[in-house]
Amino acid sequence: MAEQSASKQSGNSGAEQEEELRDVFKIFDKDGDEIVTTMEIKQVLSDLGKMVTEQQIREMISTVDLDSNGSIDFEEFREMMSRRGSAIDYETKLVNAFRLFDQNSDGVIDEKELKCVLQKLGIEANDEEIMEMIQVADLNADGKVDFTEFKAILTSK
């Protein structure tokens, strides 16, 4: 499924890419105020398994913070993402794939959400099979799959 999503995204028009970038911006903009702060960036990067210091984030922001207010609006965010290149594109695709499964946006995929997505894809799976799928990906044994676990299962060889 992630491969299908990735192949669809590679042929996107500029308007579709802009919409996807706005969706990613919304992920970073936790409080919905149209501004991304250092704390919001730190939280999202932490969710993605990237441990960075506030100083590193401030340095990242300073390279695109055109109005020098210490935060990033959408135009500045777009500039920052364009500088990050394909690594961010890959992370964006993973985040977007995760969001397809995390239907209630609570940061985890549970059995109900997995079953719903599989049904939409026309994949038949009973409750036992759904539970087995969750258990394979559930590294911390909490009965749910968070983004780090989702990423690990998709990027494992």
Side-chain angles (χ1 to χ4, degrees):
M1 170 140 149
E3 292 173 5
Q4 289 174 345
S5 177
S7 66
K8 284 181 186 176
Q9 289 179 1
S10 63
N12 284 349
S13 71
E16 290 170 331
Q17 289 175 346
E18 177 85 6
E19 185 177 331
E20 288 176 4
L21 192 56
R22 285 197 180 277
D23 288 343
V24 173
F25 181 78
K26 290 175 187 175
I27 292 170
F28 280 86
D29 183 18
K30 297 283 191 189
D31 61 8
D33 66 354
E34 300 292 320
I35 302 253
V36 176
T37 64
T38 57
M39 292 308 295
E40 288 171 321
I41 292 173
K42 186 173 184 174
Q43 178 62 51
V44 171
L45 292 177
S46 174
D47 292 346
L48 294 172
K50 308 264 188 225
M51 302 314 289
V52 293
T53 65
E54 272 194 62
Q55 180 60 33
Q56 289 171 314
I57 294 169
R58 279 195 291 275
E59 289 169 8
M60 182 182 1
I61 288 175
S62 71
T63 64
V64 294
D65 186 13
L66 301 176
D67 56 9
S68 300
N69 66 353
S71 59
I72 301 175
D73 62 25
F74 179 73
E75 296 305 318
E76 294 166 332
F77 182 80
R78 180 189 349 212
E79 176 65 22
M80 182 175 73
M81 291 294 116
S82 71
R83 291 181 185 184
R84 301 287 297 180
S86 62
I88 290 295
D89 291 342
Y90 180 71
E91 288 290 330
T92 300
K93 289 173 185 174
L94 285 175
V95 168
N96 286 339
F98 181 79
R99 289 176 66 206
L100 290 174
F101 285 89
D102 182 20
Q103 297 179 335
N104 64 3
S105 301
D106 65 353
V108 293
I109 301 166
D110 62 25
E111 296 165 32
K112 181 180 174 188
E113 290 168 316
L114 179 57
K115 186 172 189 168
C116 182
V117 171
L118 292 177
Q119 285 175 339
K120 287 179 183 178
L121 293 171
I123 299 170
E124 294 292 324
N126 63 37
D127 290 342
E128 185 177 319
E129 292 168 324
I130 298 289
M131 183 55 131
E132 286 175 24
M133 289 179 208
I134 294 284
Q135 288 173 346
V136 166
D138 184 17
L139 301 175
N140 65 2
D142 67 353
K144 300 173 183 154
V145 178
D146 61 29
F147 180 77
T148 303
E149 295 165 331
F150 180 81
K151 180 179 174 181
I153 202 77
L154 289 179
T155 57
S156 65
K157 295 182 181 178

